[in-house]
Amino acid sequence: MKAIDRKLLRDLWQLKSQVITVALVVASAYSGFAGSLATYASLVAARDDFYASARFGDVFADLKRAPRSIERTLRDIPGVDGVRTTVVFDVTLDIPGVAEPVVGRLIGLPERGDSAIDRVVIRQGRLPRDSEPTSVVVSEGFAAARHLGPGRTFTALINGRMQTLHVVGIGLAPDYIYATRGGAFPDDRNFGVVWMPREPLAAAFAMEGAFNHASLRLSRDARPRAVIDALDRLLEPYGGTNAHGRDEQLSHRILSQEIDQWRLIGTLIPSIFLAVTAFLLNVVLGRQITTQREQIAALKAMGYDNATMVTHYLRQVGVIVALGVVLGAGIGWWFGREVTALYAEFFHFPAYRFRMPAWVLVAATAIIAIAAVGGAIGAVLKAVRLAPAEAMRPPFPGRYRPTIAERLALGRFLTPAMRMTLRNMERKPWRAALTTVGIAGAMAIVVSGMFWRDALDYMIDVQFMIAQRADAQVALTEPMPSRSQREIARMPGVLQVEGAREIPAQLVAGTSADLIGLAAYMRLPLLTRLAGEPDTLSSFSVQVDRAHEDALFRALKAYPRIATVASKAAILQNFRDTLARNVLFFTSVLTVFAAVIAVGVVYNNARVALQERG
């Protein structure tokens, strides 16, 4: 073994504690980068595969009622490759053993021979036959939350009539990967998607030969904006509100936002670790080279050229990076797999597995190596510039002078150790500043982790406790006269009731500062007058006496003119149970990452300061 190789092993052993701490910082950067981007790649792959296999639509429109005879007109729009129309209604479900009402979205399945767009993927059981008007397929998340397998039954209040539905299958659809009725929270316990034969569903709502939802597939050369404008013009006479592309489809939009945040996390947080890694390597190697001046001089006198010296110290950096990469790859795999498993509770895909693409590993390794070499190269060049004769002499002592505090006559309050510390900081301001930035980065990571919990608590408090003070939201099948509010007020357990009228419209003024969802508000008399309607209501906000809550829900589930009932307590409980676990996981991981940064920065600076004092 060459002398230079023995020196490398000896140096690594003597610096083992510093090597370990820097390697841990490298591992944190690598795992954060690789784990986050692998999660991003896994979610993108699962989404795109599902969209392709289920032929997810590109343009969507909701309307009040249109005859099926205009489907041919929709297909003739330039750029349209396929059209699927159906009927969609929200109803109240009565699940056996569940006191509170549950909201179900009934969607008509296409008849045989229809264009296969937004195809339902069967996970268990089968699709209903056309001859089975009460057979249904339920969404997988809802079925798991409410234990509704094939063979089970439940009751639905369909347009004022109680109907027993028989579960024959469990399925998934690309437009409900993120199953939510319209808010920002997934709620598999209190919201379920139910597919059933189209004709009996249409007949129940007097929609024979009509539709109120359309999905369009576009050709490769289509212009989406032109198709949307044409669709709006065609459906405006039929109560069409606002045709939109896939980017505004609720499930896709929320899913894409979640996916994109992992691309951001995979670059933002690791960048802090990369900066700390570069700084630590510069500090550690810089101090090592200062203490090894005589060894460097001896090696150069023995014939080792500058290239060999650069290679020697870069090999030391390479060992540290290699340790961090190996450890980081394992942590990154675990981190990405756990995150993917957490998302499986929110996003329902037929195939959902974590994958670590090769490009992620290669890119992470390359970025870590570049950052490490970039941080160490300045210190390494110090060794190259040392001539043998100069290196044999000890370094010139530093120039110490009174600190600013001492010049301000505050020196008498400082101990000798404090004076040494302040003088070192003034002599090496960049190192002091970067040390402070490193510790600040650790604090920033902790704050960013804790911030999620506080932000969610604030959002719940503002939206559900201050803005939405009602305990339950009751929606009617159709607008009713305002005197219907008195019927709700007389129900058991109702303490207070307030009516409202919802009308779909294209905004012309502005939006409210809601933290969840999108809505615009107007005084009720003005709204009904602009809509050309009498004094009608379409929903109620109800404050409930907890002692009579179950009795009220039983009455509401049987009330024929009620479409849906949503319990705020049930929604919040599901939200807290689900997200609390996720927030705890991310907070714990980020706290560990922050601790690694803090330990790495503080420990290595303390070791260097101790060596300098020695």
Side-chain angles (χ1 to χ4, degrees):
M1 181 180 292
K2 296 181 179 179
I4 196 75
D5 295 327
R6 290 196 299 271
K7 179 181 181 301
L8 173 63
L9 296 177
R10 184 189 62 206
D11 289 345
L12 289 172
W13 177 252
Q14 290 177 344
L15 296 172
K16 55 183 177 296
S17 57
Q18 292 170 279
V19 168
I20 292 174
T21 54
V22 178
L24 287 175
V25 175
V26 172
S28 299
Y30 192 96
S31 61
F33 185 92
S36 299
L37 292 188
T39 298
Y40 169 80
S42 299
L43 291 173
V44 168
R47 180 194 65 185
D48 293 348
D49 290 346
F50 191 17
Y51 283 0
S53 62
R55 291 180 56 83
F56 189 29
D58 299 301
V59 174
F60 310 88
D62 293 298
L63 55 146
K64 189 171 183 179
R65 178 192 176 100
R68 296 190 66 178
S69 58
I70 71 167
E71 289 182 12
R72 183 179 298 275
T73 306
L74 300 182
R75 290 189 177 93
D76 291 338
I77 297 175
V80 173
D81 189 42
V83 174
R84 178 198 169 190
T85 64
T86 189
V87 288
V88 180
F89 294 97
D90 286 353
V91 301
T92 296
L93 306 181
D94 187 4
I95 307 298
V98 179
E100 68 271 11
V102 175
V103 178
R105 178 158 296 170
L106 302 186
I107 302 177
L109 289 169
E111 301 93 342
R112 296 182 182 277
D114 261 13
S115 175
I117 298 177
D118 299 344
R119 184 181 300 154
V120 178
V121 176
I122 296 299
R123 302 283 285 165
Q124 186 178 348
R126 59 177 176 82
L127 284 170
R129 302 184 180 94
D130 293 338
S131 59
E132 300 173 335
T134 62
S135 295
V136 298
V137 172
V138 297
S139 54
E140 187 175 53
F142 180 61
R146 293 301 186 184
H147 309 290
L148 292 174
R152 295 289 301 275
T153 62
F154 59 90
T155 304
L157 184 60
I158 301 178
N159 200 20
R161 294 192 305 172
M162 301 301 294
Q163 180 78 50
T164 300
L165 302 178
H166 300 80
V167 179
V168 298
I170 297 173
L172 297 172
D175 44 344
Y176 290 99
I177 291 176
Y178 191 87
T180 177
R181 189 182 172 205
F185 303 147
D187 190 3
D188 287 328
R189 289 183 57 81
N190 303 292
F191 173 74
V193 184
V194 181
W195 295 273
M196 63 184 298
R198 175 174 177 167
E199 289 307 315
L201 177 59
F205 286 92
M207 290 283 287
E208 297 96 331
F211 66 92
N212 63 1
H213 178 80
S215 300
L216 282 65
R217 289 272 293 185
L218 304 183
S219 58
R220 291 182 178 273
D221 57 347
R223 293 187 300 150
R225 186 69 258 172
V227 174
I228 291 172
D229 292 341
L231 189 60
D232 275 333
R233 289 192 297 270
L234 285 171
L235 297 181
E236 184 178 4
Y238 305 103
T241 54
N242 185 24
H244 55 274
R246 185 186 291 177
D247 59 332
E248 295 183 28
Q249 199 271 337
L250 185 60
S251 172
H252 173 80
R253 186 179 68 205
I254 296 176
L255 173 60
S256 297
Q257 290 171 351
E258 289 290 330
I259 291 176
D260 290 341
Q261 83 171 359
W262 283 106
R263 184 168 55 183
L264 177 63
I265 292 174
T267 53
L268 180 60
I269 293 181
S271 64
I272 299 175
F273 288 94
L274 294 177
V276 172
T277 299
F279 165 62
L280 291 180
L281 287 172
N282 183 277
V283 170
V284 172
L285 286 182
R287 184 57 193 167
Q288 183 185 18
I289 289 170
T290 300
T291 60
Q292 292 183 352
R293 292 167 61 91
E294 295 182 0
Q295 296 179 29
I296 294 171
L299 290 171
K300 286 189 173 184
M302 292 170 60
Y304 290 98
D305 56 15
N306 287 336
T308 302
M309 299 305 301
V310 169
T311 302
H312 166 71
Y313 285 107
L314 289 183
R315 285 168 64 193
Q316 188 169 319
V317 173
V319 171
I320 297 174
V321 170
L323 289 174
V325 166
V326 171
L327 183 60
I331 297 175
W333 183 279
W334 170 84
F335 177 64
R337 187 182 60 188
E338 291 298 314
V339 171
T340 303
L342 288 175
Y343 272 105
E345 300 181 16
F346 296 103
F347 303 129
H348 304 293
F349 297 103
Y352 202 156
R353 65 183 182 87
F354 173 72
R355 61 188 73 183
M356 180 71 77
W359 68 266
V360 170
L361 297 175
V362 172
T365 303
I367 291 173
I368 294 290
I370 291 172
V373 172
I377 195 66
V380 171
L381 291 178
K382 287 176 59 179
V384 172
R385 289 193 293 265
L386 280 175
E390 178 187 353
M392 292 298 295
R393 296 193 299 267
F396 290 105
R399 295 184 59 188
Y400 286 88
R401 64 185 66 182
T403 62
I404 295 177
E406 291 172 298
R407 291 196 292 271
L408 293 176
L410 299 176
R412 63 180 180 275
F413 300 108
L414 302 176
T415 65
M418 293 174 63
R419 292 183 183 184
M420 293 176 66
T421 300
L422 291 175
R423 288 182 179 184
N424 268 324
M425 292 176 63
E426 284 195 10
R427 286 182 61 238
K428 298 178 180 178
W430 281 110
R431 193 170 79 185
L434 290 175
T435 300
T436 304
V437 170
I439 297 174
M443 179 62 71
I445 294 176
V446 173
V447 170
S448 66
M450 298 298 183
F451 165 80
W452 295 352
R453 184 187 298 275
D454 295 338
L456 291 174
D457 289 341
Y458 174 78
M459 182 171 62
I460 290 173
D461 184 59
V462 171
Q463 195 69 20
F464 290 98
M465 305 304 170
I466 299 176
Q468 299 178 8
R469 301 183 181 182
D471 299 309
Q473 296 289 330
V474 180
L476 302 176
T477 57
E478 60 184 18
M480 296 176 61
S482 59
R483 62 178 180 273
S484 61
Q485 180 169 322
R486 294 194 292 271
E487 297 182 50
I488 302 295
R490 289 194 295 268
M491 288 187 171
V494 174
L495 300 177
Q496 189 175 354
V497 61
E498 181 179 278
R501 178 72 172 97
E502 288 87 15
I503 297 177
Q506 291 191 17
L507 200 65
V508 293
T511 57
S512 64
D514 288 344
L515 299 180
I516 301 172
L518 296 173
Y521 298 92
M522 180 181 291
R523 294 189 179 277
L524 183 58
L526 177 59
L527 177 63
T528 54
R529 185 168 71 249
L530 290 177
E533 295 183 351
D535 187 12
T536 58
L537 301 174
S538 58
S539 67
F540 302 99
S541 300
V542 180
Q543 189 175 10
V544 180
D545 183 353
R546 296 294 184 190
H548 302 281
E549 187 176 55
D550 290 350
L552 173 63
F553 286 153
R554 284 194 297 269
L556 290 174
K557 286 192 286 188
Y559 195 78
R561 292 186 177 274
I562 289 179
T564 61
V565 180
S567 168
K568 183 172 72 174
I571 294 173
L572 281 178
Q573 185 61 41
N574 177 76
F575 172 71
R576 294 182 190 277
D577 291 345
T578 305
L579 288 191
R581 184 170 62 258
N582 296 355
V583 170
L584 179 62
F585 173 78
F586 290 119
T587 300
S588 301
V589 171
L590 291 179
T591 301
V592 172
F593 282 174
V596 169
I597 283 186
V599 170
V601 171
V602 174
Y603 177 78
N604 281 283
N605 275 276
R607 284 296 301 268
V608 169
L610 182 62
Q611 291 174 352
E612 289 175 344
R613 291 190 182 188

